[in-house]
Amino acid sequence: AAAPLAPDEAAPRGGIGIGFRYTPHAIVFFSSACIMAVELVAGRLIGRHLGNSLYTWTSIIGVVLAGMSIGNYLGGRMADRRRAEDSLGWLFLYASMACMLALALNHLFAVLRPLGGMFWPARVLLTVLSVFTLPALFLGMISPATAKLALDRSTAVGATLGSVYAWGTVGSILGTLLTGFVLIAALGAQGVVMAVALGLGLAGLWIGPRRALHAAWLVAVLVALVLSRTTQPALRQTAMRLGFQEGERFEGQGPRGGPLWKPFLFARDGD
């Protein structure tokens, strides 16, 4: 009889990436790229109604790091209780939903201005905290589950963790450069967030389980993405009111009591 396989040679458990040793590396690479894309466009989203100040970026960096830290902790606890193959698909779905929720919340804060009378730095911080905590948290939960998945496939603990962290860092770098140099110009800030939500949803669909639910969610994200790119006046107004398009800002009540929107332009670099 053939000798049994060593632990690092055995076929991986579960239904994802069977036979592909580097599935965990691909997962952490992609999720790290997504969190940096969201962090980078956060400044433009918040800048529509609170300005692109030092307070804005300090709040964004601090909130995203805090959300990721909490997510890392919760993801580690969950990885000890549930198999990664059973939880990663749900985490990707929740992260996708959190990204879409962030767009809606940012729009509501811009229109309703619930913190209008608050001390300015506190207003900026609490707005960013309300909008971007959940995306950072759910994306932060993916890394520990992925590391556990990688460790289940290898006995070389140090090398395995080192390679997973390295691929996560590479993903962060690529996500930053691609977003800053290409995606924002091509899709706009809202479009980037929706593209990230679409990618996360596709990852969840690939991993499973409950693929029908993931597929239904992807259809909803695709509809939102189409609305974010439309130039048809009526649809564009709908997309703007849902927070799916940038380019206009809330300026208070209009002559008939409805919201008044005016063009919003970011200053060019060097202006």
Side-chain angles (χ1 to χ4, degrees):
L5 292 173
D8 58 340
E9 295 173 336
R13 299 177 301 170
I16 65 174
I18 293 178
F20 183 36
R21 179 180 177 183
Y22 295 104
T23 294
H25 304 74
I27 291 174
V28 77
F29 175 91
F30 177 67
S31 64
S32 298
C34 287
I35 187 61
M36 292 309 300
V38 172
E39 182 175 1
L40 201 58
V41 301
R44 291 181 70 92
L45 294 172
I46 295 295
R48 293 181 67 230
H49 52 102
L50 293 180
N52 231 336
S53 66
L54 178 62
Y55 296 134
T56 303
W57 280 107
T58 301
S59 299
I60 289 170
I61 294 171
V63 166
V64 170
L65 288 175
M68 290 179 64
S69 298
I70 297 171
N72 289 163
Y73 174 77
L74 295 177
R77 296 288 298 270
M78 185 182 66
D80 287 336
R81 291 171 168 79
R82 299 184 60 183
R83 296 170 63 241
E85 292 89 338
D86 299 329
S87 58
L88 277 170
W90 291 112
L91 290 178
F92 274 107
L93 178 62
Y94 297 152
S96 177
M97 291 178 171
C99 288
M100 296 300 293
L101 178 62
L103 288 181
L105 289 174
N106 182 67
H107 182 67
L108 287 176
F109 273 87
V111 173
L112 302 178
R113 302 184 181 184
L115 306 177
M118 188 172 290
F119 179 55
W120 186 257
R123 177 183 175 184
V124 175
L125 176 60
L126 289 178
T127 300
V128 175
L129 189 68
S130 302
V131 174
F132 292 106
T133 296
L134 285 180
L137 187 148
F138 284 119
L139 284 167
M141 291 180 71
I142 293 173
S143 295
T146 307
K148 181 67 161 49
L149 179 66
L151 289 173
D152 286 344
R153 300 176 176 210
S154 175
T155 56
V157 176
T160 299
L161 290 178
S163 62
V164 169
Y165 293 151
W167 277 103
T169 302
V170 173
S172 298
I173 295 170
L174 183 62
T176 300
L177 296 177
L178 187 63
T179 302
F181 290 130
V182 178
L183 294 181
I184 290 178
L187 302 176
Q190 278 89 344
V192 171
V193 175
M194 281 183 272
V196 168
L198 182 64
L200 292 169
L202 285 170
L205 179 66
W206 167 56
I207 296 170
R210 301 291 178 89
R211 288 183 169 88
L213 179 61
H214 289 77
W217 171 249
L218 282 174
V219 171
V221 176
L222 281 171
V223 171
L225 189 57
V226 170
L227 281 175
S228 75
R229 306 304 298 165
T230 186
T231 57
Q232 202 277 335
L235 291 178
R236 188 169 184 272
Q237 284 288 326
T238 300
M240 182 183 62
R241 289 169 181 171
L242 292 173
F244 293 160
Q245 281 203 25
E246 64 180 11
E248 300 190 24
R249 69 182 186 274
F250 179 70
E251 285 292 329
Q253 296 294 323
R256 297 183 179 180
L260 178 64
W261 300 85
K262 290 186 177 180
F264 178 88
L265 298 175
F266 286 93
R268 296 179 179 177
D269 293 337
D271 287 353

